[in-house]
Amino acid sequence: MARFMDVHHGMEGITAEELKQAHRADLAIEGEEGVHFEAAWADPDSGIVYCLSEAPSAEAVQRIHERTGHKADEVHPVPLAV
Amino acid sequence: MARFMDVHHGMEGITAEELKQAHRADLAIEGEEGVHFEAAWADPDSGIVYCLSEAPSAEAVQRIHERTGHKADEVHPVPLAV
């Protein structure tokens, strides 16, 4: 397992409820790919959403996001953390 | 106080120790601007570093990063979180 940060652009105007619903949708199926989405942060003004996850691969992260209708624009492994 | 995610590019090859040192340098002076850096994640391959903080403003976050020698390329408020 490794840690990943993925980034979504174009989410201008996203609300707290929409972020929660998107996160819940990911959580509902994440186990099928061995992924766990730990947290997400959103900036409705710039339309950027960051998601932190643990997963076997970047592709696994992306497959969950694609199935829940919000493909990430970037998925980066972040092996270092403080 | 608000939450911010800032992003640094061009950090290819950053090591765990370098990330720790940069974070410690920020922590040492963050109080002077009312900032608290909560966590940071790095991808040495793509050279991207993400920092999560609580701060009175994006400018306060940037002033700390500038003083410790690693100005952020982007500082985004992230008022929404799950």
Side-chain angles (χ1 to χ4, degrees):
Chain A
M1 292 287 276
R3 183 161 281 147
F4 295 88
M5 184 77 81
D6 67 79
V7 185
H8 305 251
H9 297 281
M11 305 294 285
E12 287 83 355
I14 187 171
T15 66
E17 187 53 37
E18 287 167 345
L19 183 65
K20 273 186 207 169
Q21 285 180 4
H23 188 57
R24 275 198 296 258
D26 288 333
L27 294 181
I29 62 167
E30 64 180 15
E32 296 173 26
E33 294 280 357
V35 176
H36 177 54
F37 288 97
E38 299 180 334
W41 300 271
D43 177 8
D45 287 338
S46 69
I48 299 180
V49 176
Y50 302 94
C51 298
L52 186 69
S53 62
E54 287 204 337
S57 69
E59 291 72 20
V61 172
Q62 189 64 286
R63 281 193 293 269
I64 297 297
H65 276 335
E66 284 182 343
R67 287 175 55 193
T68 53
H70 42 264
K71 184 177 176 180
D73 295 295
E74 308 166 42
V75 184
H76 296 284
V78 282
L80 306 184
V82 290
Chain B
M1 293 287 275
R3 182 161 283 149
F4 295 88
M5 184 76 82
D6 67 79
V7 185
H8 305 251
H9 298 281
M11 306 295 285
E12 287 84 355
I14 187 171
T15 66
E17 187 53 35
E18 287 167 345
L19 183 66
K20 274 186 205 169
Q21 285 180 3
H23 188 58
R24 276 198 295 258
D26 288 333
L27 293 181
I29 63 167
E30 64 180 14
E32 296 173 27
E33 294 279 357
V35 175
H36 177 53
F37 288 98
E38 300 180 334
W41 300 271
D43 177 9
D45 287 337
S46 70
I48 299 180
V49 177
Y50 301 93
C51 297
L52 186 69
S53 61
E54 288 205 336
S57 69
E59 291 73 20
V61 172
Q62 189 64 286
R63 281 193 292 270
I64 296 297
H65 276 335
E66 284 182 343
R67 288 175 56 194
T68 53
H70 42 263
K71 184 177 175 180
D73 295 294
E74 309 166 41
V75 183
H76 296 283
V78 283
L80 307 184
V82 290

